[in-house]
Amino acid sequence: MKKTLLLIAICCVMITTAQYDMVYQLEKGGVYPQNLVVTSEQNQVINGQTQDITTVISTASDFVVTDIKDGIYSIDIIVKKMSNNTKTAMGSETMSSDGAASNPMNQMFKNMIKDPIKITMNNKGVLLSFDNSAQLVGLTEGMELPEMQLLQIEGAMKKEMSAEKQLDSYHKITQLLPKEEVNIGDTWVQETTINSIATFKSTTTYLLEAVTDESYIITSSAMVTTPKDATTDLMGMKAKYDLSGPLKASYTIDKETGWIKNARMEQRLDGAVLIEKSETMPQELKMTMSTTTTTLIE
């Protein structure tokens, strides 16, 4: 009887102290799909006037492992389709790679997905290189618009889709696994940079919530805050941002591959934007802002 009780006690200790080394275990030639939908609901108040803007961005991508060498994955990110729908009080506008070529912006989206993004990544999801230069070549090809307008669109898109911004966005999805082995209930932290309307710095805390036969369940939380006196260029005008808010997420990770099976992230930002006076803006303009952004991955 004593031996039985001792065996049960040992088994209980082993279960409660089980450690998990969460890593990516991808196969050469493997195709790992990822569908992403980002919904942003923004409320702005400018000079007492309220403006609501809802934006939905959708992408369907395949991550194709082209090589594995010394534990480093070479991956082509093939964006199969993408769309952007914006709704305001003035109406709605949709741009889609599947849309009619008669819409110049649809044609630009088609151009953007004709070549893959190339990355290298280690088994913890750290992106070691990121090359989306092929996406930025020929952005306005086939778009029937005045030359000056085409140059403006191309310049704005190259800035918005810079490798730095894209790298930070993809890092938020890939780099969430702990560097060390963890138990259920353990936490770990990651430094995060978010390039959006301004640059946000945050420390995200992750928690291994549960483990099933097939999945790791991870939750995370962070407080996102713009740096003090952060400024950015807003359509040629200098704008100062003072925004902050919580970021919460939950992830279901495949135990066999380390790939995200599904995830939900919700970020809220509240504060104000001050547009400084300039030649085009005779006086300062203060805008209060509240934004909720929900990201779904499957």
Side-chain angles (χ1 to χ4, degrees):
M1 183 65 178
K2 288 183 178 180
K3 289 183 178 180
T4 303
L5 292 174
L6 178 60
L7 180 60
I8 293 173
I10 291 173
C11 290
C12 289
V13 171
M14 291 177 64
I15 291 171
T16 56
T17 60
Q19 290 190 313
Y20 301 94
D21 185 18
M22 287 182 276
V23 296
Y24 283 96
Q25 300 181 84
L26 310 180
E27 296 181 353
K28 184 176 179 179
V31 179
Y32 302 89
Q34 187 177 91
N35 298 322
L36 184 147
V37 179
V38 181
T39 303
S40 178
E41 297 179 323
Q42 186 176 111
N43 175 267
Q44 300 175 353
V45 180
I46 307 174
N47 292 334
Q49 298 295 316
T50 299
Q51 183 179 32
D52 293 323
I53 304 172
T54 299
T55 303
V56 180
I57 301 172
S58 300
T59 59
S61 305
D62 282 339
F63 287 61
V64 182
V65 180
T66 59
D67 196 15
I68 305 173
K69 186 176 182 180
D70 299 327
I72 304 301
Y73 298 104
S74 296
I75 298 174
D76 282 359
I77 303 175
I78 300 172
V79 182
K80 297 182 293 184
K81 60 181 179 180
M82 62 187 299
S83 65
N84 184 316
N85 178 269
T86 302
K87 183 179 180 180
T88 67
M90 302 295 292
S92 62
E93 180 181 4
T94 298
M95 299 174 285
S96 173
S97 60
D98 288 342
S102 56
N103 182 335
M105 299 308 292
N106 289 347
Q107 182 60 45
M108 185 182 70
F109 274 33
K110 293 178 188 292
N111 296 337
M112 286 167 58
I113 66 172
K114 67 182 185 298
D115 293 301
I117 300 169
K118 294 183 176 293
I119 66 172
T120 57
M121 181 183 81
N122 68 15
N123 67 359
K124 288 295 184 180
V126 178
L127 299 183
L128 306 175
S129 68
F130 185 93
D131 182 8
N132 69 330
S133 58
Q135 278 197 318
L136 304 181
V137 176
L139 276 175
T140 58
E141 185 177 334
M143 295 175 65
E144 297 182 2
L145 290 171
E147 183 67 22
M148 183 60 69
Q149 190 173 352
L150 290 176
L151 290 173
Q152 291 174 341
I153 292 173
E154 185 172 11
M157 290 304 299
K158 284 184 175 180
K159 181 178 179 181
E160 187 63 30
M161 294 182 62
S162 68
E164 180 185 13
K165 284 191 175 184
Q166 294 293 303
L167 177 63
D168 289 333
S169 296
Y170 279 99
H171 245 152
K172 287 191 298 180
I173 298 172
T174 64
Q175 190 181 355
L176 54 92
L177 303 182
K179 296 178 180 179
E180 309 291 340
E181 293 184 352
V182 292
N183 301 317
I184 296 174
D186 283 352
T187 61
W188 61 97
V189 298
Q190 302 276 14
E191 297 297 324
T192 306
T193 300
I194 301 172
N195 281 300
S196 182
I197 52 178
T199 300
F200 301 85
K201 299 285 185 180
S202 70
T203 299
T204 302
T205 300
Y206 295 89
L207 167 68
L208 180 57
E209 191 86 36
V211 178
T212 69
D213 290 342
E214 298 180 348
S215 306
Y216 298 112
I217 310 301
I218 297 173
T219 57
S220 71
S221 61
M223 180 57 69
V224 181
T225 306
T226 48
K228 186 177 180 181
D229 298 324
T231 61
T232 190
D233 179 81
L234 183 65
M235 295 182 293
M237 298 175 290
K238 188 176 181 181
K240 183 182 295 185
Y241 289 84
D242 182 14
L243 301 169
S244 64
L247 171 60
K248 294 184 178 181
S250 61
Y251 307 85
T252 301
I253 308 296
D254 185 84
K255 285 179 72 173
E256 184 177 347
T257 63
W259 200 250
I260 293 178
K261 297 170 72 172
N262 58 72
R264 178 185 177 89
M265 292 167 267
E266 186 166 310
Q267 177 183 318
R268 182 174 176 85
L269 289 172
D270 294 285
V273 179
L274 180 66
I275 301 175
E276 299 184 359
K277 62 181 180 181
S278 61
E279 293 182 359
T280 56
M281 181 69 66
Q283 59 183 7
E284 289 184 341
L285 178 64
K286 186 174 183 178
M287 172 175 63
T288 60
M289 182 183 296
S290 176
T291 302
T292 300
T293 302
T294 302
T295 301
L296 299 177
I297 299 174
E298 58 181 21

